[in-house]
Amino acid sequence: MSAVEKKARQWLQERGVTIQDIADLVYYLQQKYHPNLDMKECIHNVERVIAKREVQNAILTGIQLDVLTEKGLIEEPLQSILSADEGLYGIDEILALSIVNVYGSIGFTNYGYVDKQKPGILEKLNSKSSGACHTFLDDIVGAIAAAASSRLAHRAANVE
């Protein structure tokens, strides 16, 4: 495991996101299409997605922007936009789409669905009650889950 991957995993953990949390989203997205789906398979696919360098770069970039926002270190008007996670600010989704793109177009629909539903860890990250800024992190986590779901679906199609 590279230093970049270790740091990406560490920062996810420090921000309250586990591999299991993301695997739960994969299960949520894929369970009705794969009746024999087990959590080990979901975890494996999340692990494979996070092993990709472009995914690690997105994780590090997004989390760093969230942390800088929490510390008030971003210049206005961007500070206020990121603090509020304004609906018309779409750069957080654009960063997330760089992750989704890794496994093809099915990832777009998975991402859009999980982003709207906000199940599991996404509901927690989207809540403003903790005082933490997760403007980028919630989209990154959803994108990792969508990419892992796409990876799982592609692999299953080749087996079934």
Side-chain angles (χ1 to χ4, degrees):
M1 189 180 305
S2 73
V4 173
E5 184 176 352
K6 285 179 187 173
K7 185 58 78 173
R9 289 171 176 276
Q10 176 189 336
W11 284 6
L12 283 170
Q13 189 78 37
E14 288 173 2
R15 300 297 286 181
V17 178
T18 66
I19 299 300
Q20 182 66 54
D21 291 330
I22 303 171
D24 289 342
L25 296 173
V26 174
Y27 190 84
Y28 174 83
L29 287 166
Q30 292 296 307
Q31 66 182 340
K32 69 179 175 182
Y33 305 109
H34 306 282
N36 297 322
L37 182 62
D38 70 353
M39 193 53 69
K40 282 184 187 178
E41 193 172 1
C42 296
I43 290 169
H44 173 73
N45 283 284
V46 170
E47 294 282 1
R48 298 304 307 145
V49 169
I50 292 175
K52 295 229 169 250
R53 183 61 178 254
E54 55 266 58
V55 174
Q56 298 157 18
N57 290 339
I59 291 168
L60 295 177
T61 301
I63 289 175
Q64 188 63 193
L65 287 167
D66 284 345
V67 169
L68 291 171
T69 300
E70 284 176 5
K71 293 178 179 181
L73 296 174
I74 305 287
E75 289 192 33
E76 290 296 349
L78 190 55
Q79 175 69 42
S80 296
I81 292 168
L82 294 178
S83 292
D85 194 3
E86 284 187 14
L88 293 177
Y89 180 81
I91 305 305
D92 46 341
E93 282 87 6
I94 297 300
L95 183 63
L97 290 176
S98 71
I99 295 170
V100 172
N101 273 336
V102 174
Y103 290 102
S105 61
I106 188 175
F108 284 101
T109 55
N110 283 329
Y111 174 70
Y113 182 73
V114 79
D115 188 47
K116 285 292 179 206
Q117 297 295 313
K118 304 233 185 286
I121 187 69
L122 295 181
E123 182 179 21
K124 178 182 172 191
L125 292 174
N126 219 37
S127 167
K128 307 288 187 251
S129 62
S130 72
C133 176
H134 299 302
T135 298
F136 286 88
L137 184 58
D138 66 329
D139 294 303
I140 288 168
V141 169
I144 293 168
S149 295
S150 299
R151 185 180 192 281
L152 190 152
H154 283 292
R155 302 271 182 293
N158 289 334
V159 171
E160 293 171 356

